[in-house]
Amino acid sequence: ANNADLLYYLGLAYYQNEEFANAMKYFNLYLAKLDANSPERATILEQVNACLNGMNLEHKNLVNEVLSKSEFQSDDIKRKKFG
């Protein structure tokens, strides 16, 4: 395998491990090595997009998690004050 292939497979490995930021980094490095008219570009761009979607989803889940925890804590506080 040449260096470019290695970048692609690293990106894939990170992606499957749900490490989207790292996956995106390697997919972008791989893209940079492709010819401008390479038929592979579309596939790689789709994967970069999938990474972005994964990151957005992760972020939303994290925000929801933080919100649900903080609501629970404020509930506890109210109970202690007024209970």
Side-chain angles (χ1 to χ4, degrees):
N2 66 27
N3 279 352
D5 287 348
L6 195 60
L7 293 171
Y8 174 74
Y9 290 117
L10 270 169
L12 215 51
Y14 278 119
Y15 181 78
Q16 286 166 343
N17 212 22
E18 294 185 9
E19 293 182 42
F20 301 116
N22 281 328
M24 206 162 77
K25 182 173 88 178
Y26 285 105
F27 286 142
N28 281 324
L29 287 171
Y30 180 67
L31 260 182
K33 290 185 179 285
L34 289 178
D35 289 334
N37 54 1
S38 169
E40 269 185 283
R41 287 183 71 81
T43 309
I44 305 302
L45 286 169
E46 277 174 29
Q47 298 203 268
V48 168
N49 211 26
C51 290
L52 286 170
N53 289 338
M55 286 162 75
N56 285 338
L57 195 64
E58 248 176 21
H59 182 69
K60 275 187 191 132
N61 292 342
L62 187 67
V63 167
N64 289 339
E65 202 178 299
V66 168
L67 285 176
S68 65
K69 281 181 183 166
S70 61
E71 280 170 32
F72 174 74
Q73 286 166 344
S74 67
D75 250 22
D76 265 7
I77 291 165
K78 281 178 201 151
R79 255 183 255 134
K80 283 176 189 147
K81 275 187 192 163
F82 308 112

